[in-house]
Amino acid sequence: MLVNLEQLSANNVYHLMTQTIIPRPIAWVLTDSGDQNYNLAPFSYFTAVSSAPPLLMFSVGKKPDGSAKDTTVNVKQNKKLVIHIANGDQSKAVTASAATLEHGESELLSIGLETVEFEGFSLPRLKDCHIAFACTLFETQELGETPQTLIFAKIEHIYINDEVINLDDKGRVKVLANKVNPLSRLGGSEYGSLGDIISNIRPK
């Protein structure tokens, strides 16, 4: 099969891209809607961008009515966000947090997720995520005919659960991916979890 994207609608292009660019990591993003009323939403157009400065990027679409999503509004207003890596047991909670709610309605309350203090940062983190990034807004960009908002977030601190790390032979932190068991996004309503880990030594 050879597909010419110029012959497809934007919706069908999205459907095909999300079926073929797999697996995708999920940015589970917590922001402040005001008065410590926290918004939580997942985004699977998500990646690391650079390490100097340490930047993450995720892409946010619009609400069905064409207005900006709460994550975009909150990040532009408050400049702070926490990006979590969900685990394989949290697919239902991640899916539930994708619901379109009125601005100010908290997914944390409707789903029943618990937060704890993120030491050294003004926003909390989700208690049951092994990895969380405390970030400040670096910049945003708008692109596309129905604009997507690209949010570039600078990492200030990284929380890693002690249970999913050890030290390698150089004394560096080694994250045990099988213990993190990161949740990944596939096409449609499908998710993936970590399978076999393959280790190959890169050539010099």
Side-chain angles (χ1 to χ4, degrees), residues 93-112:
V94 168
T95 302
S97 68
T100 301
L101 303 179
E102 292 295 326
H103 185 73
E105 290 187 35
S106 176
E107 292 80 3
L108 295 171
L109 297 177
S110 62
I111 302 170

Side-chain angles (χ1 to χ4, degrees), residues 117-118 126 149:
E117 180 185 1
F118 201 144
L126 295 176
T149 302

